[in-house]
């Protein structure tokens, strides 16, 4: 006699494919996940760092990483659906390691393959004097904890500017969500009921559970 599952699983693999940042030729990324209190990471890395990559002549102005991602989540409640948080860094003129941009996106809810462009932004100095001082001392505005960008609280007064994007591909598989009463209806399902095709160039992943 089979027992009803008490949790569901979300399997994710994919890659941080490339980035395009304004005015910079090299970049490396740190990544981490933000999850709700009813979630846990049961396999895979919860954070990591990519290699330092440079702009590719063959791929225009893109900085190519092709850095693999693989993680499995377990949860009892879809609230707090996982978010991927990215922070990019590079060296300035004086050799200081400074932030190049922050970005975040929810892991797609719909099973299948998803390619997402994540906008990057950087905090701005409160004044021109602070901006000049930060440039001279190599201390640009940055968040103490990059995960703060996954939450709305306290961000209404933060001044930021756009700084490019990072392209990430996700392959998502879920298990036991139907058994717990959660049904995900794909907005991209074909009329014939065939397998969902890849969703390309999406700026973000729609998520009612965050």
């Amino acid at each position: 006699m089979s027992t009803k599952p008490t949790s569901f699983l979300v399997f994710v693999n994919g890659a941080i494919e490339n980035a395009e940042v304004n005015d910079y030729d090299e970049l490396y990324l740190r990544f981490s996940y933000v999850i709700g209190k009813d979630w846990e990471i049961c396999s895979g890395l919860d954070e990591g760092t990519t290699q330092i990559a440079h702009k590719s002549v063959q791929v225009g102005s893109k900085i190519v990483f092709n850095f693999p991602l693989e993680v499995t989540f377990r949860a009892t409640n879809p609230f707090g659906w996982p978010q991927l948080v990215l922070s990019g860094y590079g060296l300035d003129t004086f050799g200081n390691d400074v932030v190049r941009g922050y970005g975040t996106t929810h892991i797609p809810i719909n099973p299948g393959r998803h390619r997402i462009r994540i906008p990057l932004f950087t905090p701005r100095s409160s004044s021109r004097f602070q901006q000049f001082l930060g440039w001279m001392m190599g201390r640009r505005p940055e968040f103490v904890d990059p995960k703060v960008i996954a939450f709305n609280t306290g961000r209404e007064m933060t001044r930021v500017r756009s700084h490019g994007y990072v392209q990430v591909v996700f392959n998502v598989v879920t298990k036991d969500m139907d058994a717990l009463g959660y049904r995900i209806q794909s907005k991209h399902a074909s009329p014939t009921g065939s397998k969902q095709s890849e969703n390309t160039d999406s700026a973000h992943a729609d998520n009612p559970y965050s």
Side-chain angles (χ1 to χ4, degrees), residues 68-82:
L69 298 173
E70 186 168 355
V71 64
T72 301
F73 302 96
R74 177 185 287 114
T76 57
N77 186 342
F79 184 80
W81 196 271

Side-chain angles (χ1 to χ4, degrees), residues 85-182:
V85 175
L86 299 173
S87 51
Y89 299 86
L91 300 179
D92 64 6
T93 307
F94 304 104
N96 299 306
D97 199 27
V98 297
V99 66
R100 298 302 193 204
Y102 297 99
T104 184
T105 186
H106 283 92
I107 301 299
I109 295 177
N110 295 326
R113 183 176 176 86
H114 308 264
R115 180 169 281 111
I116 298 176
R117 288 162 57 101
I118 305 173
L120 293 179
F121 63 88
T122 54
R124 298 179 59 183
S125 300
S126 57
S127 66
R128 290 188 178 274
F129 175 74
Q130 290 290 338
Q131 182 178 358
F132 174 75
L133 193 63
W135 179 80
M136 288 293 295
M137 300 181 67
R139 296 180 178 178
R140 312 296 172 81
E142 61 181 287
F143 297 116
V144 176
D145 182 3
K147 291 183 179 180
V148 70
I149 67 173
F151 305 95
N152 296 325
T153 306
R155 289 185 54 195
E156 62 273 4
M157 299 301 293
T158 306
R159 302 172 61 200
V160 300
R161 64 172 179 169
S162 177
H163 234 282
Y165 72 90
V166 173
Q167 184 163 284
V168 179
V169 62
F170 295 107
N171 299 299
V172 180
V173 176
T174 61
K175 182 177 184 291
D176 292 331
M177 290 197 71
D178 287 343
L180 293 177
Y182 302 114

